[in-house]
Amino acid sequence: MEKRKMGLTKTISIKSNYLLLLVGYVAAQDGVFDLVAKYGAKPDGEISQALMTAWKEACAAPTLSTIVIPKGTFLLNQVSIEGPCKAPITFKMEAILKAPADPAQLNPDLEWITFRNIDQFTMIGGGTFDGQGKTAWANNNCKATGKCNKLPNNLSFNLLTNTVIQEITSLDSKLFHVNVLGCKNISFVHFTITAPGDNLNTDGIHIGRSNGVKITECEIQTGDDCVSIGDGSQQVTIEKVTCGPGHGISVGSLGKYPKEEPVVGIYVRNCTITGTNNGVRVKTWPASEPGAASDMHFEDIIMNNVSNPILIDQEYCPSGQCTQQVPSKVKISKVSFKNIRGTSATMLAVKLVCSKSIPCNMVDLADIDLKYSGEGPGTSTCSNVKPTFTGIMNPSACPELVLQPA
């Protein structure tokens, strides 16, 4: 009899544990919002409505939730995905999402996909956002006119905090691939950007008025700046990024608009730049509005056949339609270029052209070794700046100045 009681007790215990596991599984599933399994999204179909319904429910959930777009190819019109939400959200994007190819089907005043006003947001999954930009590029003659048509960026992250974007690809955006605006503590890890090198204004990641941006171990191939840093950007770290084709890694352009905010704390380290129009640069407009950029450091960078590998350009005027004789009013200070080596596609490898009215100060160069890939030695030029030099300097630095090594 005692054995039967013990057996019955054991059976009840096993069943109770099973029920607890089942309840836990159901609860876990309640936190998963799968667009195919739960909302009827179908491969090759348009999923805007399914995505927005899933987001509304996930955003209202009181505990961690995960939106899943499973593997497959789906079409997606313009959407704005907004918080605030009640709890952290993971956006697991395993699919290929395709934007409308025809720009006429899109509102040029909106981005393709916007994420706005969200805290503790994570995007993972290995998926691809395909902007299908080929048609837009063909009708966007920026190079000839100096002006680009207003087109949607692939992804805009606005007013996000404590965010991680990891193992995601942006492909063939019509304009910028990623725009980061008003964000705090946002990281891009193993993020891939791919587009042809001959399409202007397809910047990789553009940052503006954001604090605590980290771009790590990313691969960026595009037709404009791999990373561009606009006004109000603070504490931006770019590490282990491969860049090229494109226009390099840039601070600016600055000074074009009134009331721009200072740029402070830019760190570019351990990057490889290949075949780009520029390497690392700071650029401001002539006849600019007042502004400031300081505490900017470019270190341990390999240049592979890069034009203009090291550049401060306070006479930036890509269209040739500027008042060049009026100097820039953007103050540049506390800039360092250290341990930058490789090959330059242009004879002029180091160009530091600062403002006549507000010269650059506290500019340091150390251990620069850039060999011109053509015939003859590389050169450098400096104006309105008195940099300090340490270690190797190839090409010879600033022949215009009487150099006093630090």
Side-chain angles (χ1 to χ4, degrees):
M1 187 69 176
E2 187 65 24
K3 287 183 179 180
R4 288 183 64 190
K5 285 183 178 179
M6 289 177 63
L8 181 60
T9 302
K10 188 174 182 181
T11 301
I12 292 171
S13 176
I14 291 171
K15 286 183 177 179
S16 297
N17 288 338
Y18 174 77
L19 287 171
L20 287 172
L21 287 172
L22 182 61
V23 169
Y25 175 78
V26 171
Q29 288 299 99
D30 284 346
V32 176
F33 300 81
D34 188 309
L35 264 66
V36 170
K38 192 171 182 180
Y39 298 95
K42 298 184 183 303
D44 300 316
E46 208 286 322
I47 63 168
S48 299
Q49 185 175 347
L51 176 57
M52 296 310 295
T53 302
W55 178 264
K56 183 178 179 180
E57 294 180 9
C59 190
T63 58
L64 172 67
S65 55
T66 301
I67 292 177
V68 178
I69 308 179
K71 290 182 179 180
T73 299
F74 302 90
L75 307 178
L76 181 67
N77 289 322
Q78 288 172 298
V79 293
S80 183
I81 298 171
E82 302 189 10
C85 297
K86 290 185 176 180
I89 293 187
T90 296
F91 193 93
K92 190 174 183 182
M93 223 289 283
E94 301 175 336
I96 298 172
L97 296 186
K98 288 183 175 288
D102 184 358
Q105 297 179 21
L106 299 167
N107 183 342
D109 294 322
L110 301 176
E111 313 305 354
W112 175 28
I113 306 171
T114 298
F115 293 88
R116 180 182 177 85
N117 196 25
I118 309 165
D119 183 33
Q120 299 185 77
F121 177 71
T122 301
M123 181 185 290
I124 56 173
T128 297
F129 293 93
D130 183 357
Q132 298 205 94
K134 188 174 182 180
T135 301
W137 302 332
N139 298 316
N140 204 17
N141 197 4
C142 299
K143 197 167 186 177
T145 64
K147 296 181 180 180
C148 287
N149 295 337
K150 202 170 184 181
L151 294 165
N153 302 322
N154 258 13
L155 296 166
S156 279
F157 299 109
N158 301 341
L159 305 174
L160 270 57
T161 55
N162 305 314
T163 292
V164 176
I165 312 297
Q166 184 169 348
E167 301 285 356
I168 294 293
T169 295
S170 176
L171 175 67
D172 290 347
S173 181
K174 294 176 176 65
L175 207 65
F176 291 9
H177 285 263
V178 175
N179 189 51
V180 177
L181 179 64
C183 293
K184 186 174 182 179
N185 297 332
I186 180 170
S187 297
F188 295 83
V189 184
H190 296 150
F191 187 80
T192 301
I193 292 173
T194 304
D198 56 355
N199 295 292
L200 291 179
N201 253 31
T202 54
D203 291 42
I205 300 175
H206 178 74
I207 303 162
R209 304 200 176 192
S210 297
N211 191 322
V213 180
K214 294 182 180 180
I215 302 171
T216 307
E217 296 185 330
C218 297
E219 183 176 340
I220 303 175
Q221 304 175 51
T222 191
D224 214 292
D225 294 330
C226 292
V227 181
S228 57
I229 300 167
D231 81 289
S233 299
Q234 298 185 32
Q235 305 309 313
V236 176
T237 301
I238 302 166
E239 289 187 302
K240 298 179 181 178
V241 167
T242 60
C243 165
H247 292 183
I249 297 173
S250 300
V251 177
S253 55
L254 302 175
K256 188 173 184 179
Y257 303 104
K259 299 181 180 180
E260 290 188 356
E261 298 178 5
V263 172
V264 181
I266 309 301
Y267 306 92
V268 181
R269 308 186 188 106
N270 296 306
C271 295
T272 300
I273 302 177
T274 302
T276 55
N277 290 3
N278 302 282
V280 290
R281 63 173 170 166
V282 181
K283 51 181 178 173
T284 76
W285 293 85
S288 74
E289 298 288 336
S294 64
D295 199 17
M296 299 175 288
H297 307 284
F298 306 89
E299 301 178 1
D300 301 321
I301 297 170
I302 296 172
M303 304 283 184
N304 296 317
N305 203 38
V306 170
S307 300
N308 310 306
I310 297 175
L311 178 60
I312 295 178
D313 184 5
Q314 293 209 259
E315 298 176 351
Y316 175 72
C317 184
S319 65
Q321 299 175 2
C322 306
T323 310
Q324 290 280 12
Q325 64 270 26
V326 179
S328 174
K329 295 179 183 177
V330 178
K331 174 66 175 177
I332 292 176
S333 61
K334 298 181 182 178
V335 186
S336 66
F337 301 94
K338 296 182 179 180
N339 193 28
I340 298 177
R341 60 202 184 278
T343 55
S344 173
T346 51
M347 183 174 284
L348 184 60
V350 179
K351 180 180 178 181
L352 309 178
V353 176
C354 295
S355 170
K356 294 177 183 177
S357 64
I358 312 176
C360 301
N361 68 355
M362 300 180 71
V363 177
D364 301 324
L365 287 87
D367 297 318
I368 306 300
D369 189 7
L370 295 167
K371 298 176 176 64
Y372 175 44
S373 55
E375 295 182 3
T379 61
S380 68
T381 187
C382 301
S383 61
N384 307 306
V385 59
K386 295 181 179 179
T388 61
F389 307 93
T390 56
I392 297 169
M393 289 305 304
N394 177 34
S396 298
C398 300
E400 303 90 343
L401 306 176
V402 177
L403 302 182
Q404 297 294 331

